[in-house]
Amino acid sequence: MHEISVKITINQKDYERNIQPNTLLVDFLREELGLTGTHVGCDTSQCGACMVLHNKSAIKSCSILVAQLNKQEITTIENLQKDNELHPMQNAFRNNHGLQCGFCTPGMIMSAISLVNENSNPSEKDIRKYLEGNLCRCTGYQNIIKSIEEGAKDMKEPRITNV
Ligand code: FES
Ligand code: FES
């Protein structure tokens, strides 16, 4: 297969690469750029461990080609922390024990931020519905829901959570 040239902005950094046209975004992130915070948990596009933000919305990076994102912008979990401070949604997961093994967590957090970008005051029902594309094998979801409720509040009014 002939390589194609793509330009893509990842975590506010511009990349220009020659790639195979069938390169999935998740493979590009993990193997080409070493951004292994984006996980692969299935081969059926069901688990959501691979979620990243495209503009302000979560997308499954295992289900999109880099070639489809030419000249577009992607944010991964690695870019949420600013000035050594966790993102409010990351803090909320930590405060509320919203994870056990942590495998699903990057995808959960990217979906949660995407939800709050669309709806700054989500109800429990809104959160459960939005998480239909994210699977967790460990937690039973209750603490994930609590985390997202707190994270949504803190995204509006970030507070110091140095505990
Ligand atoms: S790796 Fe499971 S949905 Fe993408
Ligand atoms: S915390 Fe283990 S899969 Fe979600």
Side-chain angles (χ1 to χ4, degrees):
M1 226 181 286
H2 285 302
E3 291 195 331
I4 55 168
S5 169
V6 287
K7 290 183 185 174
I8 185 164
T9 304
I10 313 269
N11 298 340
Q12 297 161 326
K13 216 170 145 190
D14 296 330
Y15 296 91
E16 187 164 2
R17 291 280 204 283
N18 292 328
I19 56 162
Q20 292 292 329
N22 60 354
T23 305
L24 290 168
L25 177 60
V26 70
D27 294 332
F28 184 77
L29 293 172
R30 292 177 57 86
E31 287 160 30
E32 179 76 19
L33 304 185
L35 295 171
T36 53
T38 301
H39 293 164
V40 180
C42 71
D43 55 11
T44 50
S45 301
Q46 279 181 317
C47 75
C50 63
M51 290 287 192
V52 296
L53 294 180
H54 176 225
N55 304 322
K56 292 183 156 203
S57 298
I59 58 168
K60 290 181 172 174
S61 61
C62 71
S63 305
I64 190 157
L65 302 174
V66 183
Q68 292 170 272
L69 296 165
N70 195 29
K71 300 190 183 153
Q72 297 186 54
E73 196 166 340
I74 292 293
T75 302
T76 71
I77 190 82
E78 284 88 350
N79 202 46
L80 295 188
Q81 188 172 325
K82 294 275 183 278
D83 301 328
N84 281 333
E85 293 281 337
L86 293 178
H87 185 282
M89 191 60 78
Q90 291 175 303
N91 254 327
F93 271 71
R94 187 177 64 174
N95 295 342
N96 292 282
H97 309 287
L99 60 139
Q100 287 181 27
C101 80
F103 193 84
C104 70
T105 312
M108 288 287 178
I109 287 175
M110 298 319 252
S111 285
I113 292 171
S114 176
L115 164 63
V116 178
N117 287 339
E118 287 173 27
N119 171 3
S120 62
N121 193 18
S123 65
E124 177 177 343
K125 198 169 154 209
D126 295 333
I127 296 171
R128 287 188 184 276
K129 181 148 183 45
Y130 206 86
L131 289 187
E132 276 172 2
N134 291 78
L135 301 180
C136 176
R137 292 165 178 83
C138 305
T139 67
Y141 296 93
Q142 197 50 46
N143 287 353
I144 292 175
I145 309 293
K146 268 171 59 188
S147 303
I148 297 174
E149 285 172 339
E150 182 183 300
K153 284 191 198 121
D154 286 352
M155 279 174 68
K156 282 190 281 186
E157 291 174 39
R159 56 184 157 146
I160 297 176
T161 46
N162 254 348
V163 280

